Amino acid sequence: MADLKKLAEEIVGLTLLEAQELKTILKDEYGIEPAAGGAVMVAGAAGGEAAGGGEEQTEFDVILKAAGAQKINVIKEVRAITGLGLKEAKELVEAGGKAVKEGVDKAEAEDIKGKLEAAGAEVEVK
């Protein structure tokens, strides 16, 4: 029987290129496709991060750049989105360049951006 600990250490130590080649060999020669989050994929992800590759962004910040001409409408919309009181929402809108919501998914970020732009604000999603 193979030394499983040694085999595991070798798999973890693979470079991104080697992990991709291992995946291809397993698929083509043995008909084995690694499941999402499988050992080959984990090694590939670790190698990719070390080589400067990145994952797709999953969390976004909605930044209010400027209130625009209809500041009152923007304040109302910020209150509805954040649940802030009138004073806090007004301060956030007047400050400009502040995050309205942080760490939201892409769909929610785009929804918030659309609402704020419809109210007259200049918005950026990062």
Side-chain angles (χ1 to χ4, degrees):
M1 178 144 180
D3 183 3
L4 296 179
K5 184 170 176 92
K6 181 180 175 191
L7 179 60
E9 288 173 1
E10 288 178 12
I11 289 173
V12 170
L14 293 176
T15 66
L16 181 58
L17 188 60
E18 292 168 335
Q20 185 64 33
E21 186 176 335
L22 175 60
K23 178 184 148 204
T24 303
I25 292 169
L26 289 173
K27 181 179 177 185
D28 294 345
E29 294 184 21
Y30 300 100
I32 300 171
E33 290 193 51
V40 173
M41 297 307 293
V42 170
E49 289 171 14
E55 294 181 11
E56 185 176 329
Q57 184 175 351
T58 58
E59 291 188 353
F60 297 86
D61 297 339
V62 181
I63 311 294
L64 179 67
K65 302 290 274 179
Q70 300 177 354
K71 187 164 68 169
I72 293 173
N73 290 338
V74 175
I75 292 170
K76 288 179 183 178
E77 201 58 54
V78 167
R79 287 188 68 204
I81 293 167
T82 62
L84 292 173
L86 179 60
K87 181 181 177 189
E88 293 84 4
K90 182 178 182 243
E91 289 172 355
L92 189 146
V93 169
E94 289 177 344
K98 299 279 184 177
V100 175
K101 277 276 200 170
E102 296 178 326
V104 297
D105 62 30
K106 187 173 186 171
E108 185 177 355
E110 291 299 324
D111 182 47
I112 293 169
K113 180 181 178 186
K115 288 178 181 178
L116 290 171
E117 286 178 341
E122 183 183 331
V123 183
E124 178 182 20
V125 176
K126 287 187 176 184

